[in-house]
Structures are given as structure tokens and as C-alpha cells.
Amino acid sequence: SIKYPKLTGKQGVQVIFIPDDKIFENTVIPIELIMHKCKIANAFGIDIKLFVDNNEIELATEGLISLIPVDKDLSIYHTFPQVVTSKNNLDERISILMQYTSDTKDRYFGYTNLAYNSVGGTHINFIQKIIPEAWKEYIRISKIKIDTELKASDYLVGLRCVCAVFLKHPEFSAQTKERLSVKKDIMIQFQQPLIKQLVAVFKLFDKQSRALLKRFEEYRISQNKLLSRKEISSWLVVNKDNSNNIRRRSNIPGLIECTQTK
């Protein structure tokens, strides 16, 4: 017989379950899945102990940063170590952790009441708008000169962000909870406090934040050049007579016709 560990004092809830082979085709308990769920809880500061066959399983994590997958092909420009949190008057809250990498794409890892939202949802859409607003406010307050006009998406280049919300009445697009689907009004309550705290974090790591702004500018400049080349190339066509001549695709006002030969 298995001797289960006893809980003493106010330490939470002890759960013991044995799968019924009359109901389940496979009664093997998915230990790896349970461990993953417990590690997520630990990452959010919830102290959980897991025992398997009377042996305690190590669940230690490094906090929310452990929820961002490690990609060896990418360089990490900067990880903001502070978890930024905003609460409303219902004691609901949103917490985010940001890391910027050498990637040109942004990725998000959304959670609602510890449940992973693989497709994102309202909270992810919310922070995609809030983070650029916080960067703009940081630029304004710090009186930083930006030579290139940045788009909102430029502030998200290479971003890896964990975003977790804890709501009393969450709603999802399906029972699998892959996408959070709540009214935008719920998120708006977190907006100003979150922006204020993000700006404070950017100022705390001022050197790193300014370096990231340079990175955003360089990215925008490269994109503008690429767009310019694409726009010009859409106007021109290369002759198929082995002459390599370039001619106008059509009558485009203001376009001067020219040729280039070998």
C-alpha cells in the first residue's frame, strides 16, 4: 500500500485520485503533464508540492521567465526582470514579463487563471497595444530624440512576453480555453497603471531601453528601404529578350523611363 504524505496546518488542499479502469481506457497517470501544470503554478508564485509514489518531484522554477521557451538560434538583447502587475477594484490582475531577442517577430504566452491560452485572446491583443504606448510615453518623458518615425509594431520586434490575467469570471472561445474572450472594458481598467509601471521599468533600465530603441529604429529603416525597393520593382519589368533591359510596366505618372543594358 502507498503511504500518502500528510498535510499539517493551513497548507492548502491535498488531492488524491485513482483512475477507474471501468471508465478510462488508459489508467496511466500523465505525470509529465501534471508536473508541467504544477511548474506553471510555481512560476506564478503558488507553492505546490507534488509526490509520485511517495517521492517528491522537484518543481523549482525561475519564475515567469521559465515560461518563455529557450531558442538557441536567437540572441537575447535584454530581459526586463521585473514582473509588471496591475490590479482593478475587483482584485483582478494582469501580470507581464518582457524579453527582447534578435528575432524580427514577436511571440506571446498567455495565461488565464493559470490555464495556458495557446491562441491568445483579449489579454494578448491588449498588451500588443499597451507596450507601444508605454514606449512612446518613456520617449516623451525621457526627451529622447527619435530620428525615424516608428510604427507601433516596431516596439514589438523580437519581443517575448508572458501575459497572465487572473479574472473572477473569465470567458473563452471554446471549452479548451485556447483563447480568452472577455469584454475589452475589463482590460481597459488595467491600462493606465500598467503603462505607468512599464515606463518606470524602462527608466530603471535606461541604458538597455535606449539600446532597444536604436534597435527599433534600425529595423524601421531597413523595412522602409525594403518597401521602397518593392514599390519601385512593382513599376518595372525586365525584358525577356536576353537584353536585360528594364522598362516601365505601364504608364505611371511621374515615372521617368530608363534602360539598363549589360
Side-chain angles (χ1 to χ4, degrees):
S1 62
I2 299 175
K3 294 182 178 180
Y4 297 100
K6 299 292 185 179
L7 290 178
T8 59
K10 297 181 179 179
Q11 296 183 6
V13 178
Q14 184 178 36
V15 178
I16 300 173
F17 60 91
I18 301 175
D20 191 338
D21 57 9
K22 294 180 181 178
I23 300 175
F24 298 98
E25 294 182 1
N26 185 358
T27 58
V28 176
I29 298 174
I31 299 300
E32 292 295 328
L33 176 61
I34 295 174
M35 286 176 57
H36 179 66
K37 297 289 186 182
C38 291
K39 284 183 177 180
I40 289 176
N42 271 7
F44 284 103
I46 300 173
D47 188 18
I48 289 181
K49 291 184 178 180
L50 176 64
F51 292 83
V52 177
D53 294 337
N54 212 32
N55 296 315
E56 184 173 0
I57 304 298
E58 179 63 42
L59 297 173
T61 66
E62 297 178 1
L64 294 189
I65 190 64
S66 64
L67 301 180
I68 299 179
V70 177
D71 191 332
K72 296 181 180 179
D73 295 330
L74 298 176
S75 299
I76 298 175
Y77 287 155
H78 183 62
T79 300
F80 291 98
Q82 279 81 356
V83 176
V84 180
T85 300
S86 175
K87 295 183 179 181
N88 62 14
N89 54 10
L90 297 176
D91 202 30
E92 297 174 319
R93 72 181 189 273
I94 181 172
S95 297
I96 69 172
L97 179 78
M98 298 183 299
Q99 177 185 85
Y100 279 92
T101 72
S102 58
D103 197 2
T104 56
K105 297 180 180 178
D106 47 329
R107 291 185 60 192
Y108 303 88
F109 309 94
Y111 293 84
T112 303
N113 298 351
L114 300 185
Y116 179 52
N117 314 125
S118 59
V119 189
T122 313
H123 51 341
I124 301 301
N125 297 335
F126 171 71
I127 62 168
Q128 283 179 309
K129 295 179 180 179
I130 292 302
I131 292 176
E133 289 300 318
W135 275 112
K136 292 176 185 178
E137 182 65 9
Y138 163 69
I139 292 171
R140 186 188 69 81
I141 292 176
S142 302
K143 298 180 180 180
I144 299 173
K145 183 181 178 181
I146 302 294
D147 298 323
T148 304
E149 184 178 354
L150 297 176
K151 296 184 178 181
S153 58
D154 296 335
Y155 298 103
L156 306 176
V157 171
L159 177 65
R160 298 291 182 268
C161 182
V162 176
C163 176
V165 290
F166 296 85
L167 306 174
K168 294 183 182 298
H169 304 289
E171 296 179 5
F172 303 93
S173 58
Q175 290 185 347
T176 52
K177 300 182 179 180
E178 293 177 341
R179 178 189 290 274
L180 179 66
S181 180
V182 296
K183 293 182 179 179
K184 294 180 180 179
D185 294 348
I186 295 177
M187 295 292 112
I188 290 175
Q189 298 175 43
F190 302 123
Q191 183 169 329
Q192 291 308 316
L194 196 62
I195 290 177
K196 184 177 180 180
Q197 290 189 57
L198 284 171
V199 171
V201 170
F202 295 154
K203 291 180 69 176
L204 182 62
F205 295 91
D206 190 65
K207 181 179 179 180
Q208 294 86 344
S209 297
R210 289 173 184 264
L212 284 171
L213 286 174
K214 288 293 183 183
R215 149 82 165 153
F216 302 154
E217 282 191 271
E218 291 171 357
Y219 175 77
R220 175 43 46 201
I221 291 171
S222 67
Q223 289 300 295
N224 287 343
K225 288 181 179 178
L226 183 60
L227 289 171
S228 178
R229 290 172 185 171
K230 286 184 177 180
E231 184 177 2
I232 292 173
S233 64
S234 68
W235 294 346
L236 305 176
V237 63
V238 178
N239 287 339
K240 296 180 180 180
D241 57 3
N242 295 324
S243 66
N244 203 29
N245 285 343
I246 299 175
R247 59 183 173 81
R248 283 190 308 190
R249 187 178 297 276
S250 60
N251 293 325
I252 301 174
L255 181 65
I256 299 175
E257 188 167 3
C258 61
T259 61
Q260 178 182 344
T261 58
K262 293 182 179 178

